[in-house]
Amino acid sequence: MAPYYKRLGRDALLSWDDVLAVQSLYGKPQGGSGAIQLPGKLFTDFEAWDPHRLQGRSPETRGPKYCHSSFDAITVDGQHRLYIFQGNQFWEVTADGNVSEPHPLQKRWAGLPPHIEAAAVSLEDGDFYFFKGSRCWRFQGPKPVWGSPQLCRAGGLPPHPDAALYFPPLSRLILFKGAHYYVLARGGLQVEPYYPRGLQDWGGVPEEVSGALPRPDGSIIFFRDDRYWRLDQAKLRAMPLGRWATELPWMGCWHANSGGTLF
């Protein structure tokens, strides 16, 4: 069978294979009938298609960079807005999953180094806490609360924490490191007595998590690499559920228009 062709203009023709390749990258143009035409006849689906608009355009399915790899840290504020950190950038994701363009860390939080290891927002006062190595930062909005980074070990905090979490039932910040967790005193960077304790208290949460978030339904989501776990606080049991990028629309990795995943 001879190949079909689609006409873009008076003299420009695309083979059917070319058309399929374009549609696979950019989607089907709107406003046409979709009927297959013979060579030499106008292909109506391309009547409103401007080929110059394709130049330099990236496919919409690329999505935020963190969706295709991993993130350094993640936290959530009192409006259920996520902050996802990777390298020297961060993204904001609204409660309905709409994600911002990447922002430079230094523009929002001056003096904060790249590749932070853990972050948490206090749901009491809205302050941001950041952790990297043996240092800690606290910001009220964009303004630092402390004149300089604090040495975390002075209060018994572990160096290089895996993740941080504001835990609503205790109104406390919690740090996770390896097989242990640390509960911090309110308003400071001092570990509470009788901590650290083992992760067995969290009923199945894996070691070396990369992030932890409280959710509006009272559950806690834990991340490690491309997987996630949901902790049911009533049962104190964490269940592994799958890949966060494809299963959690509020992480900003879903196509905002079609409702489909990016993968």
Side-chain angles (χ1 to χ4, degrees):
M1 179 183 292
Y4 286 113
Y5 286 84
K6 312 299 176 188
R7 182 177 295 277
L8 280 175
R10 179 168 299 179
D11 300 315
L13 293 175
L14 289 179
S15 72
W16 181 241
D17 288 340
D18 291 332
V19 172
L20 292 178
V22 170
Q23 289 187 0
S24 69
L25 284 175
Y26 299 102
K28 187 176 179 180
Q30 300 298 314
S33 67
I36 296 177
Q37 304 288 327
L38 292 175
K41 292 186 178 181
L42 186 66
F43 181 45
T44 56
D45 272 344
F46 282 89
E47 286 180 346
W49 187 284
D50 181 0
H52 299 291
R53 295 175 59 189
L54 300 182
Q55 296 178 4
R57 181 180 173 186
S58 298
E60 291 181 321
T61 55
R62 289 182 63 87
K65 182 180 177 181
Y66 65 84
C67 294
H68 300 269
S69 53
S70 62
F71 51 78
D72 298 329
I74 188 171
T75 188
V76 63
D77 65 14
Q79 288 72 50
H80 311 299
R81 182 184 294 107
L82 296 183
Y83 298 81
I84 302 177
F85 302 88
Q86 186 187 69
N88 60 0
Q89 298 177 322
F90 74 97
W91 291 259
E92 295 183 37
V93 187
T94 60
D96 56 4
N98 288 318
V99 62
S100 71
E101 295 295 323
H103 304 299
L105 280 179
Q106 288 286 328
K107 189 173 182 179
R108 177 72 64 90
W109 298 286
L112 195 64
H115 300 290
I116 61 172
E117 294 170 319
V121 176
S122 168
L123 299 185
E124 287 188 306
D125 53 29
D127 285 3
F128 282 75
Y129 292 81
F130 298 100
F131 305 86
K132 181 178 180 179
S134 60
R135 295 180 295 168
C136 308
W137 293 258
R138 181 179 178 182
F139 287 84
Q140 189 173 66
K143 298 180 180 179
V145 174
W146 303 316
S148 60
Q150 303 294 297
L151 289 177
C152 302
R153 64 173 180 267
L157 279 66
H160 302 289
D162 298 324
L165 165 71
Y166 180 84
F167 191 55
L170 294 179
S171 299
R172 296 288 195 278
L173 293 180
I174 296 178
L175 289 183
F176 296 88
K177 173 66 182 287
H180 297 88
Y181 71 99
Y182 301 71
V183 176
L184 307 188
R186 182 176 295 174
L189 292 176
Q190 182 72 40
V191 175
E192 292 274 23
Y194 311 113
Y195 292 94
R197 290 178 55 88
L199 280 181
Q200 63 268 18
D201 293 349
W202 295 80
V205 170
E207 296 183 15
E208 299 180 354
V209 295
S210 55
L213 293 175
R215 294 296 297 156
D217 62 2
S219 64
I220 305 292
I221 301 295
F222 289 89
F223 303 87
R224 191 179 72 179
D225 301 325
D226 65 342
R227 317 297 291 184
Y228 77 102
W229 287 251
R230 185 186 303 273
L231 176 73
D232 184 332
Q233 290 192 47
K235 299 178 181 179
L236 288 178
R237 174 61 55 183
M239 300 297 295
L241 295 179
R243 296 181 62 209
W244 51 264
T246 58
E247 298 183 19
L248 299 178
W250 45 265
M251 284 291 289
C253 296
W254 286 40
H255 193 294
N257 297 318
S258 70
T261 63
L262 295 177
F263 300 90

